[in-house]
Amino acid sequence: MIKALYFGSFNPLHIGHMAIANYVLEFAGADRLVFVVTPASRFKAGDTELLEANATERLVALKSAVCGSGLDIEVSDIEFSMPSPYYTVNTVEEFVKREPDTEFVIVMGADNLSLFNKWYRYEDIMSMAGIWVYPRLGYDLHTISERYGDVVRILDAPIIEVSSTMIREAEAAGRNMSAFRYRGNH
């Protein structure tokens, strides 16, 4: 079984997240996708307190949105019981410990791959899980991925330029972003 781990704050979950999840399950060959909700992100330093304050709310909203999606998705709160800071390597180690017979891959965007060599113990992550990368405008994925070898698989997924930050900023400015948020099919 191939289980794809899709890490993020999902603040909010949007149509881009779900399009990537759909692609990974229907076209890339994953058997199951796990949204791994992080209580806080080291890469979003200005939002840390806000993320921690609404972590449970984000988790519940994500579970509600993906139920009934028709996709083989689960939502994990594994990091909620782990000590901060939330390093990907520690989370992947925990998944591998719990499910030693499962093949894990991490789903990330080209923007994250461009910084992957700066992640804590990134070599250990690559020894435990494959890296599946979806394209983003402005990133030469083939050049970036060369430094990591065969562990990286570039997905031929459509580019969807929407982000949670874009949605939050537009809503703060009074714009209606309801078509970009993913709220589920129920």
Side-chain angles (χ1 to χ4, degrees):
M1 168 182 266
I2 298 174
K3 197 174 263 195
L5 305 176
Y6 191 176
F7 289 81
S9 58
F10 307 106
N11 187 33
L13 178 69
H14 56 68
I15 58 173
H17 292 130
M18 289 305 290
I20 291 163
N22 194 152
Y23 184 89
V24 165
L25 290 165
E26 298 297 329
F27 298 96
D31 298 299
R32 184 167 201 113
L33 182 126
V34 182
F35 281 114
V36 183
V37 180
T38 187
S41 172
R42 293 178 39 252
F43 297 109
K44 299 176 183 177
D47 293 339
T48 299
E49 287 180 14
L50 171 65
L51 285 175
E52 288 176 338
N54 74 2
T56 302
E57 180 182 310
R58 288 183 289 109
L59 180 72
V60 169
L62 185 59
K63 285 181 178 181
S64 175
V66 301
C67 84
S69 70
L71 298 171
D72 199 353
I73 294 175
E74 66 184 78
V75 177
S76 174
D77 64 355
I78 192 170
E79 290 189 344
F80 285 53
S81 61
M82 297 176 74
S84 177
Y86 307 102
Y87 290 115
T88 301
V89 68
N90 296 336
T91 307
V92 174
E93 283 175 337
E94 186 61 28
F95 272 109
V96 169
K97 185 171 92 178
R98 292 180 184 188
E99 301 176 52
D101 296 328
T102 299
E103 179 182 343
F104 290 99
V105 296
I106 296 173
V107 177
M108 70 172 66
D111 52 332
N112 281 317
L113 186 65
S114 72
L115 302 170
F116 187 59
N117 62 326
K118 297 181 185 335
W119 288 25
Y120 179 66
R121 294 177 46 204
Y122 76 94
E123 299 98 339
D124 292 333
I125 296 170
M126 293 188 317
S127 72
M128 293 183 287
I131 309 294
W132 289 4
V133 184
Y134 55 89
R136 282 268 174 84
L137 291 177
Y139 293 90
D140 180 358
L141 261 177
H142 294 284
T143 301
I144 297 168
S145 67
E146 284 177 356
R147 67 177 91 145
Y148 304 110
D150 292 340
V151 76
V152 172
R153 176 180 170 196
I154 299 170
L155 301 175
D156 190 25
I159 296 175
I160 301 171
E161 286 298 308
V162 61
S163 71
S164 296
T165 301
M166 177 194 84
I167 292 169
R168 287 192 313 274
E169 289 174 355
E171 288 176 343
R175 294 189 175 97
N176 180 345
M177 299 301 286
S178 61
F180 292 93
R181 287 176 169 265
Y182 184 85
R183 299 196 195 279
N185 300 325
H186 52 277

